């Protein structure tokens, strides 16, 4: 193929850009100006970003917004959110304010255990493998001493290692299934380093184990990797108030609202098509804070959705009760987050976001993120069951449509005023712009 290239990563940044422009772009000057206009004028800062990944050519901006007024366990937070979707920060802020006036959010971390596995193939006598594992287990722990030393000093480390027989699922398949406490670190590097050391030790000791036959000694390590499924690293967040306090501009009758809200949550609990969208709305809040705080949103997404399906059918991550004149709405989710390591102390805006959150521990960050998800879901379900989602969504999207049509500042002012009392749809905005420009 004519456009293949080898040694791309070894080219200088400008040679990479030149090659791209020559190979794929018709308006090369325009494309170059665009790429360069996103470079930071501070060379040191740009270099820092260049070095986060391989083959960086420029920066990709997302807005960093703030949702203030989040009262969580009696502490007030302004929550940083990095996201492109117009209505998310507005909805989070509105939900935060709503619950600020009703006692705020309560959140607790239920558990913080992380998981990693060494997957291996063993052909032979399972009883002998079990006996070998019991003998080798202390050596597995001892051999990771250099890796675990600092973590142990801080109170974390390896919690346990089990041998798991998975040969009913796949012939000859076994695992070392290990549990870790990684404190304020997300722990991916720590866990993966421990696992790779387990694998080396396990292989080495197997070759020396006299009771094994030659075939048994030659077990095969397939891979060693942490699991992003962390069903024992879980946080719960809740809001609750007397039904009579569920009053706002969009809520008519509080009792009817509470019942309808609960029905909407129940539908998400039992109907996977709705559950996925319901949970997507939760992830609008969660991902935005996870991203702003330099955490791995792909890991969080994968783990959260697996948790939503843990009982065999995909279901809602939030739940609601309306009992004894009380409305209670809560979320329970697994979150493997870090406030040290990774990008958290490296990316200047992540440092800024962490300071905004009063430099939280990983546990505090779990609470804040869970609350952001709950607030987002409250906002979405409240809109869905009252005004409908489009009213708020399109109001926020209005500016995007105006920008698409390159509206001037005066045009924007006039049209924002116009749409205060008119329904925003794409075609209504297009018509209004045309009318204004006649
Ligand atoms: C849009 O990004 C999210 C919602 O669809 C969530 C929901 O339906 O609950 C509004």
């Amino acid at each position: 193929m004519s456009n293949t290239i080898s040694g791309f990563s070894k080219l200088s940044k400008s040679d990479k850009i030149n090659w791209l422009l020559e190979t794929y772009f018709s308006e090369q000057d325009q494309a170059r100006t665009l790429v360069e206009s996103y470079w930071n004028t501070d060379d040191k800062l740009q270099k820092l970003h260049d070095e986060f990944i391989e083959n960086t050519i420029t920066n990709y901006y997302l807005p960093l917004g703030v949702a203030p007024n989040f009262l969580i366990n009696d502490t007030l937070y302004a929550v940083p959110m990095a996201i492109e979707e117009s209505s998310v920060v507005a909805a989070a802020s509105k939900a935060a304010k709503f619950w600020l006036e009703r006692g705020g959010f309560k959140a607790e971390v239920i558990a913080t255990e992380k998981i990693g596995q060494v997957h291996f193939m063993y052909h032979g006598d399972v009883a002998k493998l079990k006996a070998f594992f019991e003998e080798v287990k202390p050596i597995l722990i001892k051999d990771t001493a250099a890796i675990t030393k600092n973590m142990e000093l801080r109170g974390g480390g390896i919690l346990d290692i089990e041998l798991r027989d998975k040969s009913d699922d796949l012939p000859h398949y076994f695992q070392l299934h290990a549990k870790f406490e990684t404190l304020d670190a997300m722990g991916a590097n720590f866990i993966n380093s421990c696992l790779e050391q387990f694998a080396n030790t396990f292989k080495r000791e197997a070759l020396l184990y006299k009771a094994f036959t030659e075939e048994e000694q030659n077990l095969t390590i397939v891979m060693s990797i942490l699991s992003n499924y962390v069903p024992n690293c879980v946080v719960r967040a809740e809001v609750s108030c007397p039904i009579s306090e569920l009053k706002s501009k969009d809520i008519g009758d509080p009792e009817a609202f509470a019942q309808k809200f609960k029905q909407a949550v129940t539908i998400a609990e039992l109907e996977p098509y709705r559950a996925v969208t319901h949970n997507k709305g939760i992830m609008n809040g969660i991902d935005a804070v996870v991203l702003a705080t330099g955490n791995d949103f792909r890991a969080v997404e994968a783990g959260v959705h697996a948790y939503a399906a843990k009982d065999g059918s995909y279901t809602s991550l939030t739940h609601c009760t309306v009992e004894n004149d009380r409305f209670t709405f809560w979320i329970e989710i697994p979150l493997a987050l870090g406030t040290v390591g990774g990008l958290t102390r490296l990316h200047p805006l992540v440092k800024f976001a962490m300071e905004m959150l009063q430099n939280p521990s990983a546990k505090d960050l779990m609470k804040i993120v869970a609350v952001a998800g709950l607030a987002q879901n409250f906002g979405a379900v409240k809109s869905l069951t009252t005004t409908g989602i489009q009213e708020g969504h399109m109001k926020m999207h209005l500016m995007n449509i105006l920008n698409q049509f390159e509206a001037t500042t005066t045009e924007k002012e006039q049209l924002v005023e116009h749409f205060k009392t008119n329904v925003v749809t794409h075609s209504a905005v297009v018509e209004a712009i045309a009318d204004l420009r006649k």
Side-chain angles (χ1 to χ4, degrees):
M1 279 190 282
S2 60
N3 291 343
T4 55
I5 180 167
S6 52
F8 184 73
S9 67
K10 303 213 169 55
L11 297 181
S12 69
K13 184 161 145 187
S14 66
D15 284 344
K16 283 180 189 129
I17 293 169
N18 289 341
W19 179 83
L20 271 178
L21 297 180
E22 280 157 22
T23 313
Y24 291 110
F25 290 80
S26 48
E27 303 287 344
Q28 291 186 26
D29 289 345
Q30 217 175 309
R32 183 186 303 281
T33 307
L34 180 72
V35 163
E36 292 181 1
S37 70
Y38 279 83
W39 285 351
N40 201 291
T41 47
D42 176 343
D43 289 344
K44 212 170 133 217
L45 192 59
Q46 186 53 54
K47 191 155 187 303
L48 182 73
H49 282 74
D50 287 353
E51 289 173 358
F52 283 152
I53 60 167
E54 190 163 87
N55 298 344
T56 308
I57 54 167
T58 190
N59 307 306
Y60 183 97
Y61 293 171
L62 279 182
L64 176 65
V66 176
N69 297 320
F70 269 98
L71 185 64
I72 306 174
N73 297 346
D74 302 322
T75 301
L76 254 181
Y77 292 95
V79 175
M81 304 178 87
I83 188 154
E84 87 301 343
E85 191 174 325
S86 349
S87 51
V88 169
V89 178
S93 306
K94 202 169 157 191
K97 193 81 190 294
F98 184 94
W99 286 106
L100 175 69
E101 289 151 10
R102 291 161 182 80
F105 297 82
K106 300 281 172 262
E108 61 166 329
V109 170
I110 296 169
T112 56
E113 179 188 285
K114 316 268 170 69
I115 301 293
Q117 298 169 318
V118 177
H119 305 266
F120 67 97
M121 297 293 170
Y122 168 80
H123 294 247
D125 180 343
V126 176
K128 274 201 257 171
L129 180 65
K130 285 184 181 158
F132 167 67
F133 173 71
E134 289 310 323
E135 251 181 61
V136 86
K137 192 169 162 180
I139 311 174
L140 296 175
I141 308 267
K142 186 171 89 16
D143 280 5
T144 54
I147 307 166
T148 56
K149 190 169 156 242
N150 286 339
M151 189 65 87
E152 280 177 6
L153 282 175
R154 283 183 268 128
I158 301 160
L159 301 177
D160 193 18
I161 316 173
E162 286 167 39
L163 173 70
R164 289 197 173 177
D165 183 346
K166 307 293 278 187
S167 59
D168 283 345
D169 298 335
L170 178 68
H172 315 297
Y173 171 36
F174 294 82
Q175 298 168 345
L176 299 180
H177 182 95
K179 297 173 184 168
F180 301 86
E181 170 55 61
T182 62
L183 306 169
D184 283 337
M186 188 263 194
N189 284 331
F190 171 76
I191 294 173
N192 289 335
S193 298
C194 288
L195 294 171
E196 289 188 4
Q197 183 58 55
F198 293 164
N200 288 339
T201 302
F202 201 66
K203 178 86 192 141
R204 183 193 72 214
E205 294 297 317
L207 286 169
L208 300 173
Y209 194 59
K210 295 273 186 308
F212 277 163
T213 63
E214 201 179 321
E215 192 184 28
E216 287 165 342
Q217 283 183 334
N218 277 306
L219 54 86
T220 313
I221 304 290
V222 179
M223 59 190 162
S224 311
I225 188 74
L226 93 166
S227 173
N228 291 123
Y229 183 44
V230 282
N232 288 321
C233 185
V234 172
V235 54
R236 186 184 194 278
E238 178 186 298
V239 284
S240 184
C241 73
I243 294 171
S244 58
E245 285 181 18
L246 289 171
K247 284 196 197 115
S248 79
K249 200 158 60 69
D250 334 314
I251 301 173
D253 171 13
E255 175 68 39
F257 168 76
Q259 291 301 345
K260 209 166 159 193
F261 191 101
K262 181 172 176 277
Q263 282 159 1
V265 175
T266 306
I267 289 169
E269 284 169 340
L270 51 82
E271 162 54 51
Y273 278 96
R274 174 57 202 150
V276 170
T277 318
H278 181 93
N279 290 348
K280 186 276 183 188
I282 294 171
M283 299 317 286
N284 278 345
I286 290 185
D287 282 345
V289 186
V290 168
L291 201 53
T293 55
N295 274 278
D296 182 344
F297 64 92
R298 288 84 55 207
V300 167
E301 281 277 349
V304 164
H305 294 296
Y307 192 76
K310 73 179 186 328
D311 296 324
S313 156
Y314 190 90
T315 184
S316 170
L317 294 161
T318 55
H319 308 281
C320 178
T321 54
V322 179
E323 281 166 9
N324 306 324
D325 290 330
R326 243 191 131 71
F327 172 85
T328 305
F329 179 49
W330 73 96
I331 189 168
E332 202 186 282
I333 41 164
L335 286 173
L337 301 176
T339 53
V340 298
L343 275 198
T344 51
R345 299 280 157 95
L346 204 56
H347 194 302
L349 280 177
V350 170
K351 277 199 270 183
F352 173 84
M354 290 296 191
E355 191 169 341
M356 192 191 300
L357 292 174
Q358 301 157 51
N359 291 318
S361 63
K363 281 187 180 173
D364 288 338
L365 188 58
M366 286 169 77
K367 294 177 200 166
I368 295 164
V369 170
V371 163
L374 185 69
Q376 207 69 49
N377 190 225
F378 179 77
V381 176
K382 177 164 167 281
S383 296
L384 287 167
T385 54
T386 54
T387 59
I389 205 75
Q390 284 307 80
E391 186 184 286
H393 189 76
M394 289 308 285
K395 270 220 165 88
M396 294 306 301
H397 191 55
L398 173 62
M399 206 44 79
N400 288 345
I401 309 176
L402 295 178
N403 283 331
Q404 220 175 320
F405 285 89
E406 298 183 356
T408 62
T409 312
T410 330
E411 283 175 336
K412 280 182 188 168
E413 278 166 11
Q414 284 172 305
L415 290 164
V416 166
E417 199 49 44
H418 171 79
F419 281 107
K420 275 188 182 153
T421 49
N422 288 279
V423 177
V424 183
T425 63
H426 193 273
S427 55
V429 179
V430 174
E431 252 173 58
I433 296 175
D435 281 351
L436 202 66
R437 288 178 179 173
K438 252 184 208 154

